[in-house]
Amino acid sequence: MPPRTLTIFLSWVVAGTLVIITAGRLLHLDDVLSWPYSGINAFAPVEYLPAYVALAAAFALRRNRLLVVSLLAVIAHLAFTVPELWPGRPEAVPAGAAKVRIMTSNLLYTNGDAGRLGAQITRARPDIVVLEEATPLTLDAVTKSGVLDGYAYREAHPRPDPFGVAVFSRFPLVQAELPMVADLPSLRMTVRVDATRQFRLFAVHTVSPTSRDYAARWRRQLDALRAEAALSPVPVVFAGDFNATRDHRPFARLLDERLRDAHDVAGAGWTPTWNANHLALPPLLRIDHVLASPQFAVTGYQVGDKIGSDHKPLVVDLALR
């Protein structure tokens, strides 16, 4: 096949495929087909990049119909990603608000180097530490670093699989519960900030939607969190590994329950947290989140350093009005 013909053919494949993916997303086919759309939509920030090559080829080779289709894919990419990439600044601390710094980190359940998180806890000095994939191995590694000794309140539920979870807090923790949602634990508790202010904290770790069965369970977990947010009589904070990006419909519906993504409020820009331990590629997806009710101002947002896990830690500053 001549190079010109091959270029046109490949450009049509790229542009046509991306337009079909875009149509499916706009028509909310991911509500009908959790899989494979859970995988396809996750990589929206990067999977549309070949559209720019197709657009350049169409322009150079003067293929008008290919130019139009490629341009549609590029416009879709910009519409989906610019809101996340647009820079901003955190909110100011409201007068009289109670400051709460939260760190969340997926330790990776086989990570013998999880104790490296200790140095970041020492630097950040969070009020609350939420740990996912807390196994006897990973939790012991962090505990041995000594940084958790100053946290008087804790809810630790390690497991040998990836779904152990632990919360360490300088504030009192009460009404802790560990119900099973889609056959996996869902830890939540009430945090008493002071005599008059409290909020409900959810330590989140959903299953990764990498198959039809897992995608269905993942959707049920996110839908359950949405229901909890709607029913809570006090402000809520969801912190952890959602295995979801802003391009996933179940995650977007969760935000619809008057929750704010700390990243978006702070205008933190391109700050992916996964896959942090890949040898060849940089992190590509932002699947670790802190979501909070409007009663919280988001006054800080930062992504931590690598700790041997496939996730980077996340530190968020909140101020409860």
Side-chain angles (χ1 to χ4, degrees):
M1 185 180 294
R4 176 187 175 90
T5 305
L6 179 61
T7 300
I8 294 172
F9 172 75
L10 293 178
S11 297
W12 268 113
V13 170
V14 166
T17 300
L18 292 175
V19 166
I20 291 172
I21 290 174
T22 301
R25 178 167 172 176
L26 295 178
L27 293 172
H28 297 164
L29 288 184
D30 45 350
D31 280 342
V32 180
L33 303 171
S34 293
W35 176 256
Y37 272 99
S38 56
I40 293 172
N41 290 347
F43 289 91
V46 294
E47 70 189 4
Y48 278 80
L49 295 179
Y52 295 85
V53 179
L55 179 65
F59 180 80
L61 299 176
R62 299 183 180 181
R63 311 298 282 193
N64 291 337
R65 283 180 292 182
L66 177 59
L67 183 70
V68 171
V69 175
S70 301
L71 184 59
L72 290 175
V74 167
I75 292 172
H77 182 239
L78 294 174
F80 295 152
T81 58
V82 166
E84 176 159 5
L85 302 179
W86 199 262
R89 63 178 59 187
E91 297 173 317
V93 178
K99 298 179 182 179
V100 181
R101 172 169 284 187
I102 297 176
M103 172 183 279
T104 177
S105 180
N106 182 318
L107 300 175
L108 180 60
Y109 73 112
T110 58
N111 179 18
D113 293 327
R116 291 164 56 186
L117 180 66
Q120 297 187 56
I121 294 176
T122 299
R123 289 197 304 269
R125 302 185 65 184
D127 300 301
I128 299 173
V129 179
V130 180
L131 302 176
E132 305 88 56
E133 300 204 23
T135 63
L137 170 68
T138 59
L139 193 55
D140 185 59
V142 179
T143 301
K144 283 182 177 178
S145 69
V147 296
L148 299 177
D149 294 344
Y151 293 88
Y153 308 95
R154 55 192 64 194
E155 282 290 334
H157 300 272
R159 290 168 48 129
D161 60 20
F163 294 100
V165 64
V167 173
F168 298 83
S169 174
R170 303 187 195 279
F171 301 117
L173 303 176
V174 298
Q175 299 174 328
E177 299 174 336
L178 191 68
M180 302 298 285
V181 178
D183 300 321
L184 291 171
S186 180
L187 179 62
R188 67 283 305 274
M189 65 213 69
T190 297
V191 180
R192 288 181 175 168
V193 180
D194 55 32
T196 60
R197 286 174 285 203
Q198 62 183 11
F199 65 92
R200 195 72 171 155
L201 173 67
F202 293 74
V204 178
H205 188 201
T206 67
V207 69
S208 181
T210 53
S211 69
R212 188 181 304 275
D213 175 60
Y214 279 12
R217 296 172 71 185
W218 166 78
R219 182 184 290 272
R220 291 202 301 273
Q221 288 176 302
L222 291 174
D223 286 346
L225 293 177
R226 181 188 180 196
E228 292 282 357
L231 295 173
S232 177
V234 297
V236 298
V237 172
F238 296 91
D241 173 12
F242 290 70
N243 273 304
T245 72
R246 68 190 314 277
D247 298 292
H248 284 121
R249 286 270 296 162
F251 185 75
R253 284 199 299 270
L254 176 58
L255 289 175
D256 287 342
E257 286 299 334
R258 299 187 68 245
L259 291 174
R260 304 197 302 163
D261 187 336
H263 169 278
D264 295 344
V265 177
W270 179 245
T271 52
T273 58
W274 182 93
N275 185 348
N277 62 354
H278 197 284
L279 295 178
L281 295 174
L284 295 175
L285 303 182
R286 186 173 65 86
I287 60 177
D288 301 274
H289 307 276
V290 172
L291 313 181
S293 297
Q295 291 92 330
F296 289 94
V298 179
T299 61
Y301 183 99
Q302 57 183 310
V303 175
D305 301 321
K306 297 180 180 180
I307 60 167
S309 171
D310 51 344
H311 295 251
K312 286 186 174 183
L314 182 63
V315 179
V316 172
D317 290 309
L318 302 174
L320 180 58
R321 299 176 176 89

